[in-house]
Amino acid sequence: MGDSSLSDLKPEYRVDGSCWKFVPVISEGFFNQRPGDIFRHHLILLQLQLAVIFTLAAIIHFFLGRFYLPRLTSEVLAGVILGPTVLGRFFPDISAVLFSEQSVKVLATLTRFGYLFFMFLIGVKMDVNLIKKSGKREWTIGTMVMLFPLLVTVMIGRHISIVVDKVDAQSAQYEVSFFTGVLMLTSFPVVAILLMQLKIINSELGHLTLSSALISDMVSLVMVNIGNYRVIMLLASLRVALKSLFLVAVLIVFILTVLQQMLYWIIRKTPEGKPVKDAYIFFVVIALLVVAIVGENVGLQYMYGPFILGLTVPTGHPLASTLIEKLDTIVSGWMLPLMSTYCGYRSNLWNLNRLPPYWIMFAVTFGFFLKVACGFIPAFCFKVPCKDATALALMLAAKGIVELGTFATNAEKQSTVTQEFTWAVIIVFIFAALVPILTRKLYDPSKTYAGYQKRTVLNSSINEGVRMLACAHRQDDALSAIKLLQLSNPSTGSPLSVYGLYLEELVGGASPLLLNHQLGQRSSSDGGRWQPIIDVFNYFKSQSSKPTQVHVYTAISPSSLMHEDVCWVAFDNLVALIILPFHRKWNRKGKLISDSKDLRDFNTKVMNKAPCSVSILIDRDRGRNSSIIDESSTYNICVVFLGGKDDREALSIARRMKGWPSVFLTVIRLKETEDMITGWEGMMDDECLRDIKHPSNENGNVLYKEEIVRHGADTSALIGSILDENFDLICVGRHSQCDSPLIEGLSAWTDLPELGTIGDLLVSAEISKPICILVVQQQVIEK
C-alpha cells in the first residue's frame, strides 16, 4: 500500500449490488497518474474549459471589436466554434474529452447561477423612482413599444403556426407564444448596456431611451406573468393557478416587508462613510438564493425572485454600491460571458436543414418592423427629431444577454436542442450586431454640441449679460468658484446668470440622473451630499448686491461620461463660460495633497467637447478666506497676453472684473518686437486691447504694460517675476499661439497640455505661493 500512488486508490461503494468508482474533483498531480486520466477530474476540466472559452472569445473580439461589435457577439461565436457546429463536427474526439456530458452540466449550472445573480444586480441598479419622474412622453413610448407589438405578433404568429406550419394547438399555445413574446419585449439591462457602449447614456436621447425602456420592462414583467398563469390555467387547472398565484403573492409581500426592512436595518447599522460588513453581504446573498429556490417552487421563474429582491435594495451608498462592488466584476466579467458562450455552444447550425418556420420568419420581420414603428411614431409625435426617433426605436428593439438567458432557461427544460433554440441564438446574434451599427449611423453624439453659434464671454451681449456654469465635485470647488463669479458681476447693466452643477459619480445604479433643484427634483438616495453645494450657491445669491440669477443642478453619472452632463447643461442653458476645478489640490501650507487622474481626464473631455468657452480654475489660495470676497479690500488681477483667441477671451473675462472699485487690473502684453503684430489675428488683438491701452476715467484702476521677449527663456523668466508680485488672480489663455517664438522651447517641457504652455508654468511644482490662476480656452467653432 505504501508503494502505490494516489491514482491507484480507487474507493468503491456498493449500492444494491452495483458498484461505481469515486473520482476526486481535484487532481492528484500530473505525474501521479496517466496523462489522459487528468481530464476525469471535474475541477481540472472546468478550469481548462474556462481558459479555452475566454481565450477564444478574446481573440475573436480583438478583430470584431474594430468594427464596434459588442463583446456578446464574440462570446456567442466562441460558443458556436466550441460546440457541435465546428469542434464537435470536425474534431469529435477532442470535443468528447473537453466537453463531456457531465462537464457540460457543470457549465450549465454555472450559467444558471450567473443569470440569477445578474438579474439581482439589475434590480439593485434600477432606480424605480425613475418611473415616477417619467412624463407622458416616456410612458407613451414605453407602453406602445411593448404592448402593441407583443399582442399583435403573438396572436398572428400563433395563427400562422397552426394554419401554415401545422403546429398542434398546445405547442402553439406555449412555444410559439414564448418565442415571439421574448422577441417583442424590451429589456432595460440590454438597453442600458447598449447606451453605455455607445456612450450616449447621459445625452437627452439616452435619458429618454432609458426611461422608456424601464417602463416597458416593468409593463412586460406584469404581462409575462399574466401569460404564464393563463397557460397554467389552460394546461393544469384554475385551482392550481390560483394556488400558485397566492403563494407568489405571499413571497412578494415577504420580500417587500420583512426582507426590505432587514436591508434598511443593515444600512442603519453601517456607520456613514464605512463599508458594509461582509457578514451582511453574505446574508443578502443567502437571501437571494433562498428567494430563487422558493420562487421557483411556488410557480415564479427562478430569476424573478432575486430581481424583485434587488429592486428593494435602496440605490446608492452604502449597501447597493457595496453589493455592486463585490459582485459585479465576477458576474459581468465571468458568469455572463459564460452564459452567452454556453448559448452558442448549445446551438447546432447543422440541424438547420430547412428554412425556419413561417411563424419565426413572421416574428423576426413583421414583428421587428412593427416594434420599430411603435417606437418611432409616438417619439416623432412628441417632436423628437426624425433621426433621433429612429435611433430610439432601434435601441428599444435591441436584443442581448437577457433574451439569450431567457431562451437558455427554457431550453434547459427540454432533453434535446430544438431548431427553434438555434434560430433564437442566431436572431439575437444578428440583432446584437446590427442595432449598434445602425444607431451609430443615425445618431452621432460628437455633433450634439457642435458650435455654430458663438457662445463666448467676448461675444456676449451687454444687455443680456453673461451666463456661467460652475462645476463642483466638492464644497471647496464651489467656494473657489463663487469668488470668481462675484468678481465677474460688478455691473447692473450687464447681469450675470450662474448655473451651479454638482457632479457625483454613479455608484450602485444603472440610471444616470440630472436634477434641477429649482424644480424641486429629488433623488431616491440621500441628498445630504449635494446640499452643502446648494447652500454655497444660495449664499452667493443672497450676498450678491447685483441682480443675479442662480440655478443649481446635480448630475449623477458614470465618471467616464460625466463630461456629457456638463456639456448638456451648458448647451441647454446657452452658457458662455464653463468653470472647471483643477485636478490638483493643495493644503494651507502649499503642499500637494490630491492629484486625481480621473478629474484631469474629465477636464480634458469637457475642453474637447464643450459648446462654449471653458476655463480651469486653479485655486492655491487655501490660506485666505474661501468665502465671498470683501468689497472693501483690494483685489489684484493680472492678464498675461501673448495674442490669439484664447488670450482675447481671458482678457474679456478680466475686463468684466475691472468694474469693481476695489479691483486693480494689470495687463501685460508680451511682444517679440516693438512693431505692431501684422495679420488678421494681430489686428483682432489690437482691437481687443484698444480700450485697455488708452487711459480714461473707466480705466483708472487698469495698468497696461508691454514686455519685449525674444524666446521661451525670456518668457519663463518674466512669468517668474510676475509670480513674485502680489497678484491674487492671473488670467491666461490656453493655447496662446503655440507656434509663437515667445514660447519657443517651452512646449517640449509642458506636463499639462490642457493648461497650455503659460498655464503649465504657473502651476509648476516649484511654486508654492497662494494664488489663483484661470486658464481660458475660447469656444471651438465647428468648421
Side-chain angles (χ1 to χ4, degrees):
M1 188 72 178
D3 295 332
S4 62
S5 63
L6 290 175
S7 60
D8 294 330
L9 298 177
K10 300 177 180 179
E12 294 185 354
Y13 302 86
R14 295 183 179 275
V15 181
D16 298 331
S18 62
C19 64
W20 47 275
K21 186 164 53 178
F22 170 74
V23 179
V25 175
I26 61 174
S27 170
E28 301 94 340
F30 184 80
F31 297 102
N32 292 330
Q33 58 186 332
R34 291 174 299 177
D37 290 344
I38 196 171
F39 296 110
R40 300 178 307 153
H41 307 284
H42 292 299
L43 183 60
I44 298 297
L45 191 56
L46 177 62
Q47 291 171 337
L48 181 61
Q49 289 170 343
L50 294 177
V52 172
I53 287 171
F54 285 102
T55 302
L56 182 59
I59 293 173
I60 296 175
H61 188 66
F62 176 78
F63 296 100
L64 296 186
R66 300 175 182 271
F67 301 98
Y68 300 103
L69 292 178
R71 195 172 186 87
L72 180 137
T73 57
S74 303
E75 293 159 358
V76 172
L77 280 179
V80 171
I81 294 173
L82 296 174
T85 302
V86 178
L87 189 66
R89 178 84 173 187
F90 300 104
F91 305 97
D93 295 336
I94 297 177
S95 179
V97 174
L98 187 60
F99 294 98
S100 62
E101 184 177 353
Q102 290 297 323
S103 67
V104 172
K105 291 181 180 179
V106 176
L107 280 178
T109 304
L110 282 177
T111 60
R112 194 178 177 93
F113 269 99
Y115 194 55
L116 184 151
F117 278 91
F118 171 70
M119 293 301 294
F120 170 72
L121 287 179
I122 287 301
V124 173
K125 294 178 180 180
M126 274 189 180
D127 185 4
V128 183
N129 287 281
L130 193 62
I131 297 178
K132 300 177 183 178
K133 300 169 188 172
S134 300
K136 183 179 179 181
R137 181 176 62 170
E138 289 81 1
W139 274 100
T140 304
I141 297 172
T143 304
M144 282 195 62
V145 80
M146 191 284 304
L147 199 58
F148 190 70
L150 177 65
L151 296 177
V152 172
T153 308
V154 168
M155 288 190 296
I156 298 179
R158 190 187 303 164
H159 180 74
I160 293 175
S161 66
I162 296 174
V163 175
V164 181
D165 295 314
K166 306 302 180 183
V167 178
D168 61 274
Q170 185 172 348
S171 297
Q173 182 68 36
Y174 178 72
E175 294 181 7
V176 177
S177 300
F178 171 79
F179 190 97
T180 54
V182 172
L183 290 182
M184 291 302 104
L185 299 181
T186 296
S187 172
F188 173 82
V190 171
V191 173
I193 292 172
L194 176 61
L195 290 170
M196 289 289 290
Q197 176 193 343
L198 297 174
K199 299 181 179 180
I200 59 174
I201 196 169
N202 285 27
S203 64
E204 185 183 21
L205 179 63
H207 284 285
L208 175 59
T209 306
L210 201 65
S211 299
S212 303
L214 179 58
I215 293 170
S216 180
D217 209 355
M218 292 293 102
V219 174
S220 67
L221 182 64
V222 176
M223 294 291 296
V224 166
N225 283 281
I226 291 175
N228 289 339
Y229 287 112
R230 182 174 178 272
V231 172
I232 293 175
M233 284 190 291
L234 293 176
L235 300 182
S237 65
L238 178 62
R239 177 176 173 274
V240 174
L242 292 177
K243 180 181 178 181
S244 175
L245 182 62
F246 172 76
L247 293 175
V248 168
V250 171
L251 177 62
I252 294 176
V253 170
F254 178 78
I255 295 173
L256 297 178
T257 56
V258 178
L259 291 182
Q260 187 176 39
Q261 290 303 315
M262 297 185 73
L263 295 177
Y264 278 107
W265 178 83
I266 291 174
I267 294 175
R268 290 194 300 268
K269 285 292 183 180
T270 303
E272 187 174 355
K274 299 291 184 180
V276 179
K277 292 182 180 179
D278 289 340
Y280 297 150
I281 301 298
F282 294 150
F283 166 77
V284 175
V285 172
I286 294 171
L288 78 91
L289 293 175
V290 172
V291 166
I293 295 171
V294 174
E296 190 169 28
N297 281 277
V298 300
L300 188 68
Q301 291 196 33
Y302 77 97
M303 64 279 201
Y304 284 132
F307 174 73
I308 297 172
L309 178 62
L311 289 176
T312 63
V313 178
T315 57
H317 302 278
L319 185 56
S321 58
T322 304
L323 286 170
I324 292 174
E325 180 184 358
K326 298 279 187 182
L327 300 177
D328 196 46
T329 300
I330 190 171
V331 173
S332 301
W334 177 43
M335 291 182 171
L336 278 189
L338 201 60
M339 162 71 78
S340 50
T341 305
Y342 176 72
C343 291
Y345 171 83
R346 286 211 54 171
S347 60
N348 188 355
L349 300 184
W350 297 104
N351 288 341
L352 304 180
N353 49 16
R354 57 180 175 83
L355 290 174
Y358 286 102
W359 62 268
I360 291 183
M361 291 191 289
F362 169 80
V364 174
T365 55
F366 176 81
F368 172 74
F369 286 108
L370 179 62
K371 189 172 182 65
V372 172
C374 288
F376 172 83
I377 293 174
F380 188 74
C381 291
F382 280 102
K383 302 188 184 307
V384 177
C386 184
K387 282 190 174 182
D388 290 1
T390 307
L392 180 144
L394 283 173
M395 288 187 286
L396 292 177
K399 306 299 169 198
I401 190 64
V402 172
E403 287 75 19
L404 281 180
T406 305
F407 283 125
T409 301
N410 183 67
E412 289 295 329
K413 302 175 183 178
Q414 304 174 13
S415 57
T416 59
V417 179
T418 61
Q419 291 189 26
E420 284 76 11
F421 176 76
T422 303
W423 280 117
V425 174
I426 293 174
I427 292 168
V428 172
F429 176 85
I430 294 173
F431 275 62
L434 288 182
V435 169
I437 295 175
L438 294 175
T439 305
R440 287 179 187 274
K441 293 291 184 183
L442 289 168
Y443 183 78
D444 186 2
S446 63
K447 296 181 179 179
T448 304
Y449 314 112
Y452 299 99
Q453 180 182 359
K454 291 184 178 180
R455 296 181 181 176
T456 66
V457 178
L458 179 63
N459 296 104
S460 296
S461 170
I462 297 178
N463 296 328
E464 294 181 2
V466 177
R467 301 185 178 195
M468 295 187 180
L469 171 62
C471 303
H473 300 270
R474 40 193 275 182
Q475 191 176 24
D476 288 348
D477 298 334
L479 290 170
S480 300
I482 62 172
K483 292 190 295 182
L484 180 66
L485 292 171
Q486 188 193 24
L487 285 170
S488 304
N489 189 34
S491 173
T492 57
S494 181
L496 178 68
S497 296
V498 174
Y499 298 86
L501 178 60
Y502 169 59
L503 299 162
E504 181 181 335
E505 183 179 3
L506 176 64
V507 180
S511 306
L513 296 174
L514 181 61
L515 306 175
N516 185 346
H517 297 292
Q518 273 58 49
L519 301 179
Q521 294 179 345
R522 300 175 63 87
S523 170
S524 58
S525 58
D526 182 21
R529 295 185 300 277
W530 57 72
Q531 189 59 46
I533 310 296
I534 300 175
D535 293 340
V536 169
F537 286 105
N538 288 337
Y539 175 70
F540 162 71
K541 181 178 181 180
S542 64
Q543 294 297 314
S544 179
S545 59
K546 308 299 188 298
T548 307
Q549 294 183 359
V550 177
H551 307 269
V552 186
Y553 295 82
T554 292
I556 306 174
S557 57
S559 58
S560 60
L561 298 175
M562 198 175 287
H563 63 283
E564 294 283 352
D565 288 315
V566 178
C567 294
W568 173 250
V569 173
F571 179 80
D572 191 45
N573 293 286
L574 304 177
V575 168
L577 179 68
I578 298 173
I579 303 172
L580 301 174
F582 192 46
H583 67 274
R584 291 177 180 172
K585 306 295 180 185
W586 294 267
N587 61 13
R588 294 179 181 274
K589 297 180 180 180
K591 182 180 179 181
L592 183 67
I593 57 174
S594 174
D595 189 351
S596 173
K597 181 180 181 300
D598 292 337
L599 185 53
R600 182 187 176 188
D601 292 340
F602 160 78
N603 289 345
T604 303
K605 290 177 181 177
V606 174
M607 299 188 88
N608 291 336
K609 201 171 184 179
C612 60
S613 296
V614 185
S615 64
I616 296 180
L617 178 60
I618 302 102
D619 187 5
R620 306 183 71 156
D621 192 14
R622 297 297 180 187
R624 306 184 187 183
N625 185 18
S626 297
S627 60
I628 302 293
I629 63 170
D630 185 4
E631 297 184 17
S632 62
S633 61
T634 59
Y635 206 79
N636 298 303
I637 301 173
C638 176
V639 176
V640 181
F641 193 94
L642 279 73
K645 63 176 186 176
D646 292 343
D647 283 353
R648 291 194 293 270
E649 185 72 3
L651 181 61
S652 300
I653 297 171
R655 184 186 283 113
R656 288 185 58 89
M657 302 178 185
K658 71 182 179 67
W660 286 105
S662 58
V663 169
F664 291 87
L665 174 62
T666 301
V667 179
I668 303 176
R669 185 179 188 183
L670 279 62
K671 300 176 65 175
E672 188 179 4
T673 63
E674 292 285 354
D675 299 333
M676 291 182 60
I677 302 175
T678 59
W680 178 251
E681 285 291 327
M683 294 173 60
M684 294 181 67
D685 291 341
D686 282 344
E687 180 65 26
C688 187
L689 289 166
R690 177 181 298 177
D691 63 330
I692 298 292
K693 293 166 65 175
H694 303 292
S696 65
N697 293 331
E698 296 181 356
N699 292 339
N701 57 348
V702 176
L703 175 63
Y704 175 78
K705 297 193 298 185
E706 292 185 355
E707 298 286 347
I708 305 300
V709 293
R710 305 295 182 184
H711 41 66
D714 290 347
T715 302
S716 178
L718 180 61
I719 295 298
S721 64
I722 292 174
L723 288 169
D724 291 335
E725 299 187 35
N726 191 29
F727 288 118
D728 299 286
L729 173 66
I730 299 179
C731 299
V732 297
R734 178 192 180 192
H735 298 297
S736 299
Q737 295 182 341
C738 292
D739 56 346
S740 171
L742 302 177
I743 54 174
E744 182 181 0
L746 296 178
S747 301
W749 299 94
T750 300
D751 294 327
L752 304 171
E754 68 271 20
L755 299 182
T757 305
I758 304 300
D760 186 75
L761 285 174
L762 291 170
V763 298
S764 173
E766 291 77 18
I767 300 172
S768 59
K769 190 172 183 179
I771 192 172
C772 291
I773 301 161
L774 187 69
V775 179
V776 182
Q777 172 189 281
Q778 194 182 67
Q779 177 193 13
V780 179
I781 302 294
E782 185 77 10
K783 300 296 184 182

